[in-house]
Amino acid sequence: MPESKPAIAVLGSLNVDYVTKVGRLPVPGETVAASSLEIVQGGKGANQAIAAFRQGCTVRMIGSVGEDDMGRSYIEYLKEEGIETDGIRPLAGVSTGAAFISVDADGENTIVVSSGANGNNSPDQVRARDPFIAESDAFLAQFEVPLSAVVEGLRIANRGGALTVINPSPMRSTFPWATVEIDYLIVNETEADDILEDVPVELESADEIREFLEGRRVNGLVVTRGSDSTLVIGKDEAFEAPTLPVLPIDTVGAGDAFAGCFTARMAAGESLRDAVLAANCAGALTTLRTGAQQPIPDRDRVDQHREQLVR
């Protein structure tokens, strides 16, 4: 870990999560009884910001909340967690974003999101935080905010030479690939299939994947595959990284813990392999408790478990 903390600018969503525990997820038209309801902070952007901060980085959050009690309390909560919140804009007349999550007995989930204030993030808002982004070591974003804001953030990061990491979730077919440069895409298998079109998502197709991504100005691809090994295609290397074996309770925040940890470790100068192994541990450990943010592990805990993967 360097003497000075890496700085990461995170552009993304801030939601209030309404999480119900159910024996099984309902099918269309069915009503099932929940055993519990928990109201917690969430949103992919804020989740990933928390994950990066707990890996020892300075984190600057850019986003929007409603000018309501939920929004005000969310900003105060993030300040207490250690996140820089100057880039979070309270908006009158709109509600803070919300997510309605059901988690079954196996830890699988369904999520319905109401974007609220998240849908009002704009290029102008991002440009107003230009120094915020340009002076950071890395820029991390997802697709739960308007793509125009994400693209503007990437342009600023590209000009400043920051590492750029995008988690394109939920997938949007209208993203203007090749107009900006992305160092790493973090996707699940379904998203990888959508992006790569007819190119097989497998290690044996590494050269073909690189060629395809080059046309989209993407330099590296990281494909998470649940408990299966993570597929990594870098500019000069391709490999599969083992995951940490766990019995998941709640998988809601696992992908966000992975993305935040990966970005933090890369910004700190770790190798691609080490960063992915750390992120695999962060994602797995997050599934051992309910909720998206509270279970995200700190750096020491991740390092302890990463040792198990490299022995």
Side-chain angles (χ1 to χ4, degrees):
M1 189 75 180
E3 291 183 5
S4 60
K5 293 181 179 181
I8 298 177
V10 179
L11 168 65
S13 55
L14 300 98
N15 291 330
V16 176
D17 290 350
Y18 297 82
V19 184
T20 58
K21 296 284 287 187
V22 295
R24 60 180 177 81
L25 299 174
V27 298
E30 182 184 21
T31 299
V32 298
S35 59
S36 65
L37 168 66
E38 189 175 8
I39 302 174
V40 295
Q41 286 85 3
K44 294 186 72 63
N47 295 347
Q48 293 180 16
I50 292 285
F53 178 80
R54 290 185 184 165
Q55 295 304 306
C57 292
T58 296
V59 177
R60 303 157 173 167
M61 183 79 208
I62 303 169
S64 299
V65 294
E67 204 172 64
D68 50 26
D69 289 342
M70 289 291 193
R72 284 188 287 271
S73 64
Y74 206 147
I75 292 174
E76 289 306 310
Y77 159 77
L78 288 175
K79 287 180 181 178
E80 291 173 4
E81 286 288 319
I83 306 297
E84 294 186 14
T85 61
D86 291 349
I88 301 176
R89 181 180 58 167
L91 297 174
V94 295
S95 62
T96 298
F100 304 88
I101 304 168
S102 295
V103 182
D104 70 11
D106 295 321
E108 295 301 321
N109 63 78
T110 60
I111 305 175
V112 176
V113 175
S114 174
S115 63
N118 296 310
N120 289 270
N121 288 294
S122 68
D124 285 343
Q125 177 192 3
V126 176
R127 277 191 291 271
R129 312 313 301 177
D130 188 320
F132 218 52
I133 299 170
E135 296 170 5
S136 296
D137 298 289
F139 173 76
L140 171 62
Q142 323 76 34
F143 284 3
E144 282 190 337
V145 296
L147 295 184
S148 58
V150 175
V151 170
E152 188 61 30
L154 283 166
R155 286 176 179 152
I156 295 170
N158 287 166
R159 289 198 301 268
L163 176 81
T164 52
V165 181
I166 296 296
N167 174 214
S169 179
M171 182 59 67
R172 308 272 193 90
S173 60
T174 55
F175 185 78
W177 301 102
T179 62
V180 287
E181 186 169 5
I182 299 169
D183 288 307
Y184 291 100
L185 277 181
I186 299 175
V187 295
N188 60 30
E189 290 181 279
T190 301
E191 293 158 350
D193 282 332
D194 287 343
I195 290 171
L196 295 176
E197 299 175 356
D198 296 327
V199 180
V201 185
E202 58 189 21
L203 195 60
E204 292 73 14
S205 301
D207 289 339
E208 192 176 355
I209 291 172
R210 284 194 191 97
E211 184 178 356
F212 181 90
L213 294 176
E214 185 178 350
R216 296 191 166 202
R217 294 184 68 192
V218 175
N219 300 323
L221 181 71
V222 179
V223 185
T224 60
R225 302 187 288 190
S227 60
D228 293 334
S229 60
T230 300
L231 176 65
V232 183
I233 309 295
K235 269 190 170 183
D236 303 311
E237 57 185 324
F239 57 90
E240 293 184 11
T243 58
L244 185 71
V246 294
L247 293 174
I249 293 174
D250 180 359
T251 61
V252 168
D256 295 333
F258 182 102
C261 180
F262 173 83
T263 306
R265 296 303 182 111
M266 291 296 291
E270 293 192 7
S271 70
L272 179 57
R273 185 179 296 272
D274 284 345
V276 172
L277 288 173
N280 278 346
C281 291
L285 292 169
T286 300
T287 70
L288 299 180
R289 290 166 52 200
T290 59
Q293 293 179 10
Q294 294 305 318
I296 295 173
D298 63 16
R299 184 181 183 87
D300 288 343
R301 189 165 178 231
V302 168
D303 283 344
Q304 289 169 6
H305 287 274
R306 183 171 60 175
E307 289 300 315
Q308 299 176 22
L309 296 183
V310 297
R311 284 174 185 166

